[in-house]
Amino acid sequence: MIKSNNFCIVLSSPSGAGKTTISKKLLKIDKFISLSVSCTTRPKRKGEIHKKDYLFLSDKEFSNLIKKNKFLEYAEVFGFKYGTLKKTIITFFEKNKDVLFDIDWQGFQQLKQSKMDVVGIFILPPSKKELVNRLKTRGRDTNTEMKKRMNLVQNEISHFPEYDYVVINKDINICVKQIKNIIESERLKRPRLNNLTNFVDKFRS
Ligand code: 5GP
């Protein structure tokens, strides 16, 4: 386990629920959050940038990192490997940042098992129809990839009860506001306020 006073915020959702846009908006309005950039063996999509969107690695590079125990969590999603490097999280915690993870349910479970301080938020699309529309208009996936994703949507959604919070993304701005409120409330939870004893002691004298 990596020890820190900061915590991990996991956003999971089926493809097309708006997770990437939500993450970007959250990072803009909350300067105490940093985004964990994952490693993946998936090919780069148009417009994606190495080290900004993902660290795009070969299968061999990814396997070597597994062997060296460098991952905090990793999983196979849609036939490609995805993982979070321990180093990434340690760096952010050292800078006193809370860390935002855009990872799937498998990664979330691994973080919980590793006893990290983690808050899980599941984002649901407003309806199946809307989800299909979003996937189609996004147009960044090939037809085969798109079919594969639709089949896996059901599986991903079935994991929502494992999360601490569920937010429905009907209106992106409301959704971001709700997530921001969750994060602010989580920061005020007593066990996370580690300097509180000193602060309260001062009222005694
Ligand atoms: P995409 O290929 O669309 O960027 O991501 C596909 C899925 O992989 C998404 O559900 C995303 O949340 C998940 N994912 C991205 N990075 C990681 C990671 O580091 N670990 C895990 N477990 N899942 C990830």
Side-chain angles (χ1 to χ4, degrees), residues 4 60 87 105 110 115 120 124 148 159 170 172 175:
S4 167
K60 197 168 169 210
K87 192 174 71 179
W105 63 274
Q110 289 177 45
K115 302 266 188 295
L124 282 172
K148 225 167 31 171
H159 289 278
K170 191 160 191 271
I172 187 91
C175 181

Side-chain angles (χ1 to χ4, degrees), residues 110-131:
Q110 289 177 45
L111 287 191
K112 283 208 290 190
Q113 277 157 16
S114 68
K115 302 266 188 295
M116 298 284 294
D117 186 3
V118 49
V119 176
I121 305 170
F122 198 90
I123 303 160
L124 282 172
S127 65
K128 187 178 175 189
K129 197 173 155 214
E130 180 70 18
L131 180 72

